[in-house]
PDB file of all heavy atoms in Angstrom:
ATOM      1  N   GLU A 266     -10.010 -13.003   6.937  1.00  0.00           N
ATOM      2  CA  GLU A 266     -10.545 -12.438   5.699  1.00  0.00           C
ATOM      3  C   GLU A 266     -10.573 -10.918   5.804  1.00  0.00           C
ATOM      4  O   GLU A 266     -10.929 -10.377   6.851  1.00  0.00           O
ATOM      5  CB  GLU A 266     -11.963 -12.944   5.440  1.00  0.00           C
ATOM      6  CG  GLU A 266     -12.053 -14.416   5.121  1.00  0.00           C
ATOM      7  CD  GLU A 266     -11.561 -14.737   3.719  1.00  0.00           C
ATOM      8  OE1 GLU A 266     -11.792 -13.935   2.802  1.00  0.00           O
ATOM      9  OE2 GLU A 266     -10.953 -15.811   3.568  1.00  0.00           O
ATOM     10  N   ARG A 271     -10.474  -7.579  -2.777  1.00  0.00           N
ATOM     11  CA  ARG A 271      -9.886  -6.639  -3.737  1.00  0.00           C
ATOM     12  C   ARG A 271      -8.769  -7.306  -4.511  1.00  0.00           C
ATOM     13  O   ARG A 271      -8.196  -8.292  -4.070  1.00  0.00           O
ATOM     14  CB  ARG A 271      -9.384  -5.381  -3.031  1.00  0.00           C
ATOM     15  CG  ARG A 271      -8.279  -5.623  -2.034  1.00  0.00           C
ATOM     16  CD  ARG A 271      -7.922  -4.386  -1.222  1.00  0.00           C
ATOM     17  NE  ARG A 271      -8.937  -4.108  -0.221  1.00  0.00           N
ATOM     18  CZ  ARG A 271      -9.339  -2.888   0.105  1.00  0.00           C
ATOM     19  NH1 ARG A 271      -8.806  -1.825  -0.443  1.00  0.00           N
ATOM     20  NH2 ARG A 271     -10.267  -2.706   1.014  1.00  0.00           N
ATOM     21  N   SER A 272      -8.476  -6.738  -5.664  1.00  0.00           N
ATOM     22  CA  SER A 272      -7.324  -7.148  -6.468  1.00  0.00           C
ATOM     23  C   SER A 272      -6.640  -5.881  -6.964  1.00  0.00           C
ATOM     24  O   SER A 272      -7.207  -4.789  -6.880  1.00  0.00           O
ATOM     25  CB  SER A 272      -7.759  -8.015  -7.654  1.00  0.00           C
ATOM     26  OG  SER A 272      -8.597  -7.277  -8.531  1.00  0.00           O
ATOM     27  N   MET A 285       3.994  -5.834  14.154  1.00  0.00           N
ATOM     28  CA  MET A 285       3.859  -5.575  12.724  1.00  0.00           C
ATOM     29  C   MET A 285       2.399  -5.331  12.369  1.00  0.00           C
ATOM     30  O   MET A 285       1.505  -6.013  12.862  1.00  0.00           O
ATOM     31  CB  MET A 285       4.384  -6.745  11.891  1.00  0.00           C
ATOM     32  CG  MET A 285       4.262  -6.509  10.388  1.00  0.00           C
ATOM     33  SD  MET A 285       4.796  -7.908   9.396  1.00  0.00           S
ATOM     34  CE  MET A 285       6.546  -7.762   9.573  1.00  0.00           C
ATOM     35  N   VAL A 289      -3.478  -2.839   3.342  1.00  0.00           N
ATOM     36  CA  VAL A 289      -3.874  -2.940   1.938  1.00  0.00           C
ATOM     37  C   VAL A 289      -4.690  -1.701   1.602  1.00  0.00           C
ATOM     38  O   VAL A 289      -5.464  -1.217   2.425  1.00  0.00           O
ATOM     39  CB  VAL A 289      -4.672  -4.225   1.614  1.00  0.00           C
ATOM     40  CG1 VAL A 289      -3.826  -5.461   1.811  1.00  0.00           C
ATOM     41  CG2 VAL A 289      -5.938  -4.313   2.426  1.00  0.00           C
ATOM     42  N   GLN A 304      -6.243  -2.322   7.686  1.00  0.00           N
ATOM     43  CA  GLN A 304      -5.005  -2.748   8.320  1.00  0.00           C
ATOM     44  C   GLN A 304      -5.278  -3.895   9.280  1.00  0.00           C
ATOM     45  O   GLN A 304      -6.379  -4.029   9.816  1.00  0.00           O
ATOM     46  CB  GLN A 304      -4.288  -1.606   9.008  1.00  0.00           C
ATOM     47  CG  GLN A 304      -4.934  -1.040  10.224  1.00  0.00           C
ATOM     48  CD  GLN A 304      -4.119   0.107  10.822  1.00  0.00           C
ATOM     49  OE1 GLN A 304      -3.473   0.875  10.115  1.00  0.00           O
ATOM     50  NE2 GLN A 304      -4.158   0.222  12.129  1.00  0.00           N
ATOM     51  N   THR A 313      -9.202  -3.947  10.238  1.00  0.00           N
ATOM     52  CA  THR A 313      -9.975  -2.750  10.557  1.00  0.00           C
ATOM     53  C   THR A 313      -9.855  -1.770   9.399  1.00  0.00           C
ATOM     54  O   THR A 313      -8.854  -1.755   8.684  1.00  0.00           O
ATOM     55  CB  THR A 313      -9.493  -2.071  11.854  1.00  0.00           C
ATOM     56  OG1 THR A 313      -8.110  -1.735  11.712  1.00  0.00           O
ATOM     57  CG2 THR A 313      -9.676  -2.982  13.049  1.00  0.00           C
ATOM     58  N   ALA A 326       2.243   0.839  -7.688  1.00  0.00           N
ATOM     59  CA  ALA A 326       3.374   0.112  -7.112  1.00  0.00           C
ATOM     60  C   ALA A 326       3.407   0.476  -5.640  1.00  0.00           C
ATOM     61  O   ALA A 326       2.933   1.543  -5.242  1.00  0.00           O
ATOM     62  CB  ALA A 326       4.669   0.520  -7.801  1.00  0.00           C
ATOM     63  N   LEU A 337       2.899   4.388  -5.405  1.00  0.00           N
ATOM     64  CA  LEU A 337       3.434   5.179  -6.508  1.00  0.00           C
ATOM     65  C   LEU A 337       2.594   4.967  -7.752  1.00  0.00           C
ATOM     66  O   LEU A 337       2.418   3.831  -8.205  1.00  0.00           O
ATOM     67  CB  LEU A 337       4.884   4.766  -6.804  1.00  0.00           C
ATOM     68  CG  LEU A 337       5.864   4.925  -5.646  1.00  0.00           C
ATOM     69  CD1 LEU A 337       5.910   3.663  -4.808  1.00  0.00           C
ATOM     70  CD2 LEU A 337       7.231   5.260  -6.163  1.00  0.00           C
ATOM     71  N   ASN A 344      -9.668   5.437 -14.974  1.00  0.00           N
ATOM     72  CA  ASN A 344      -8.586   4.754 -15.701  1.00  0.00           C
ATOM     73  C   ASN A 344      -7.527   5.703 -16.243  1.00  0.00           C
ATOM     74  O   ASN A 344      -6.841   5.395 -17.209  1.00  0.00           O
ATOM     75  CB  ASN A 344      -9.123   3.851 -16.803  1.00  0.00           C
ATOM     76  CG  ASN A 344      -9.821   2.640 -16.242  1.00  0.00           C
ATOM     77  OD1 ASN A 344      -9.488   2.175 -15.148  1.00  0.00           O
ATOM     78  ND2 ASN A 344     -10.795   2.128 -16.951  1.00  0.00           N
ATOM     79  N   GLU A 360       0.049  13.097   0.086  1.00  0.00           N
ATOM     80  CA  GLU A 360       0.877  13.150  -1.117  1.00  0.00           C
ATOM     81  C   GLU A 360       2.221  13.768  -0.746  1.00  0.00           C
ATOM     82  O   GLU A 360       2.280  14.838  -0.155  1.00  0.00           O
ATOM     83  CB  GLU A 360       0.197  13.985  -2.204  1.00  0.00           C
ATOM     84  CG  GLU A 360       0.959  13.965  -3.510  1.00  0.00           C
ATOM     85  CD  GLU A 360       0.255  14.707  -4.621  1.00  0.00           C
ATOM     86  OE1 GLU A 360      -0.992  14.713  -4.639  1.00  0.00           O
ATOM     87  OE2 GLU A 360       0.962  15.281  -5.461  1.00  0.00           O
ATOM     88  N   LEU A 364       5.924  11.234  -9.473  1.00  0.00           N
ATOM     89  CA  LEU A 364       6.789  10.542 -10.415  1.00  0.00           C
ATOM     90  C   LEU A 364       7.029  11.468 -11.606  1.00  0.00           C
ATOM     91  O   LEU A 364       6.208  12.346 -11.893  1.00  0.00           O
ATOM     92  CB  LEU A 364       6.127   9.249 -10.903  1.00  0.00           C
ATOM     93  CG  LEU A 364       5.786   8.213  -9.833  1.00  0.00           C
ATOM     94  CD1 LEU A 364       4.931   7.104 -10.447  1.00  0.00           C
ATOM     95  CD2 LEU A 364       7.044   7.649  -9.215  1.00  0.00           C
ATOM     96  N   GLN A 365       8.120  11.275 -12.316  1.00  0.00           N
ATOM     97  CA  GLN A 365       8.370  12.093 -13.507  1.00  0.00           C
ATOM     98  C   GLN A 365       7.360  11.796 -14.601  1.00  0.00           C
ATOM     99  O   GLN A 365       7.055  12.655 -15.426  1.00  0.00           O
ATOM    100  CB  GLN A 365       9.786  11.863 -14.031  1.00  0.00           C
ATOM    101  CG  GLN A 365      10.841  12.440 -13.127  1.00  0.00           C
ATOM    102  CD  GLN A 365      12.241  12.246 -13.674  1.00  0.00           C
ATOM    103  OE1 GLN A 365      12.460  11.551 -14.668  1.00  0.00           O
ATOM    104  NE2 GLN A 365      13.202  12.852 -13.011  1.00  0.00           N
ATOM    105  N   LYS A 366       6.830  10.569 -14.593  1.00  0.00           N
ATOM    106  CA  LYS A 366       5.853  10.161 -15.599  1.00  0.00           C
ATOM    107  C   LYS A 366       4.775   9.323 -14.916  1.00  0.00           C
ATOM    108  O   LYS A 366       5.093   8.470 -14.090  1.00  0.00           O
ATOM    109  CB  LYS A 366       6.549   9.327 -16.684  1.00  0.00           C
ATOM    110  CG  LYS A 366       5.634   8.835 -17.767  1.00  0.00           C
ATOM    111  CD  LYS A 366       6.385   8.006 -18.796  1.00  0.00           C
ATOM    112  CE  LYS A 366       5.428   7.487 -19.840  1.00  0.00           C
ATOM    113  NZ  LYS A 366       6.081   6.632 -20.814  1.00  0.00           N
ATOM    114  N   HIS A 371       3.216  -1.118 -12.688  1.00  0.00           N
ATOM    115  CA  HIS A 371       4.672  -1.135 -12.674  1.00  0.00           C
ATOM    116  C   HIS A 371       5.152  -1.699 -11.338  1.00  0.00           C
ATOM    117  O   HIS A 371       4.351  -2.035 -10.472  1.00  0.00           O
ATOM    118  CB  HIS A 371       5.216   0.293 -12.880  1.00  0.00           C
ATOM    119  CG  HIS A 371       4.699   1.292 -11.895  1.00  0.00           C
ATOM    120  ND1 HIS A 371       3.364   1.663 -11.841  1.00  0.00           N
ATOM    121  CD2 HIS A 371       5.305   1.974 -10.900  1.00  0.00           C
ATOM    122  CE1 HIS A 371       3.189   2.537 -10.867  1.00  0.00           C
ATOM    123  NE2 HIS A 371       4.338   2.743 -10.269  1.00  0.00           N
ATOM    124  N   THR A 378      19.350   3.714   0.866  1.00  0.00           N
ATOM    125  CA  THR A 378      19.214   5.176   0.791  1.00  0.00           C
ATOM    126  C   THR A 378      20.234   5.926   1.624  1.00  0.00           C
ATOM    127  O   THR A 378      20.181   7.139   1.713  1.00  0.00           O
ATOM    128  CB  THR A 378      17.799   5.608   1.226  1.00  0.00           C
ATOM    129  OG1 THR A 378      17.617   5.205   2.580  1.00  0.00           O
ATOM    130  CG2 THR A 378      16.740   5.007   0.336  1.00  0.00           C
ATOM    131  N   GLY A 382      20.551  11.308  -1.389  1.00  0.00           N
ATOM    132  CA  GLY A 382      19.759  12.416  -0.869  1.00  0.00           C
ATOM    133  C   GLY A 382      18.385  12.484  -1.486  1.00  0.00           C
ATOM    134  O   GLY A 382      17.447  12.994  -0.888  1.00  0.00           O
TER     135      GLY A 382
END
Side-chain angles (χ1 to χ4, degrees):
E266 292 286 323
R271 63 187 75 218
S272 63
M285 180 183 285
V289 295
Q304 69 180 34
T313 58
L337 301 90
N344 290 331
E360 185 176 327
L364 300 171
Q365 290 182 352
K366 179 181 178 183
H371 55 294
T378 62

